[in-house]
Amino acid sequence: MKIVEIRQEAGLYELGPAWDRLLQESAGNTIFLSWEWLTAWWRSYGKTGELRILTASDENGALRGIAPLRLQTMRKYGQTYSALAFVGDGSMDSDYLDFIVASGYEEQVLEAFHRHCIGQQEHNGILLINEIPAASPNVPLLHQMAGRDGLIWREKDVPGGTVRLPQTWEAYLGTLRPRFRTKVRSVLRNLESRPDVRFRFCESAEDLERLLPTLFDLHTMRWHREGKPGVFGFPGKRDFYFALSRLFLDRNWLRFSWLEWNGRILACQYGFEYASKYFQLQEGYEPAVEHWNVGIGLRAWSIQQFLKQGVREYDFLGGVGQHKTDWGAETTHSKQILVARSNWKNLLFAC
């Protein structure tokens, strides 16, 4: 395998068509590894000089693997460390990050990436593999290589929740606990019966310009009630949502639903559809109408629409709680993995 390291943004942007083709051939085909997601992330959060994307090509020049990496500097226990991490990691936006490898080439490509990365002094021989699916075929291969070469290996499970959807709304309701099923039916019926309430999906750039600031405000109001700032005060967050949403709207991946009462938006749910799966990223609702259960009503309406469109999975992404299990979510697992050369400084970092 021939490895090429890309450090300039222009190289990342030029990869678009080849990136998409390779992602379709990989076992880890997910929206969070799409060229659109990672370029929007990089424009919003990336820092000049940090890009370290690797490509692996076979002897015929065919692209077989991409390692979407960046150089990250951090402090721990009074020491400064540089490490390789995934583009997309660290902002609490991305799930299911991974190496993008054509199916059947995993061992060859990962061995080539491993040889290229682990010997470099630039990043202290530290690789942070966060949010990788526990079921990724790349995990056991990386673990095997780390053991063979006497490297430090630390891993931590990160739970999430996803709902496997049947084909109809009634069949889905039948999977819910009786009390919650009754509540969902009642809330949705009451809201749909009101002539002053309407449900919609974002369909245009004009919708987007109205909806995103409303989502930011509703989400922030909700967290302020709990004495927390909410995520949309973080640097780059709002820019990322605008950049990502415009790209995904063009690709017909955006699924941004809202509930409106007398022209006033009371609830928003922001996510995406990719490969017959819906990914729920953010939501917000007006605290003053909490007694209307607008969040439950909007989710119920959205799931109804997804079922009509052939969506077969509703992924709540990271974290597990009653607000997910009530809807039938099963626990899934991703991993946070540290791989590093074995020396005293890296052992300290791994503690």
Side-chain angles (χ1 to χ4, degrees), residues 96 159-177 180 184 269 272 274-280 299-300 302-304 306-307 310-333:
Y96 308 134
T162 193
V163 182
R164 314 292 176 179
L165 296 174
Q167 294 191 352
T168 68
W169 173 244
E170 286 302 318
Y172 169 66
L173 286 175
T175 67
L176 305 181
R177 292 192 296 269
F180 189 68
V184 168
Q269 293 183 357
F272 327 102
Y274 184 86
S276 298
K277 296 181 181 180
Y278 171 76
F279 301 90
Q280 168 70 49
R299 194 181 320 281
S302 300
I303 292 175
Q304 274 191 333
F306 296 148
L307 288 167
V311 173
R312 289 294 167 257
E313 188 171 341
Y314 187 111
D315 196 329
F316 283 98
L317 302 175
V320 179
Q322 186 175 344
H323 67 294
K324 299 181 181 183
T325 57
D326 277 346
W327 293 90
E330 305 168 358
T331 301
T332 60
H333 292 281

Side-chain angles (χ1 to χ4, degrees), residues 151-164:
L151 304 178
I152 300 166
W153 177 278
R154 300 286 186 271
E155 66 177 71
K156 175 184 176 183
D157 280 341
V158 180
T162 193
V163 182
R164 314 292 176 179

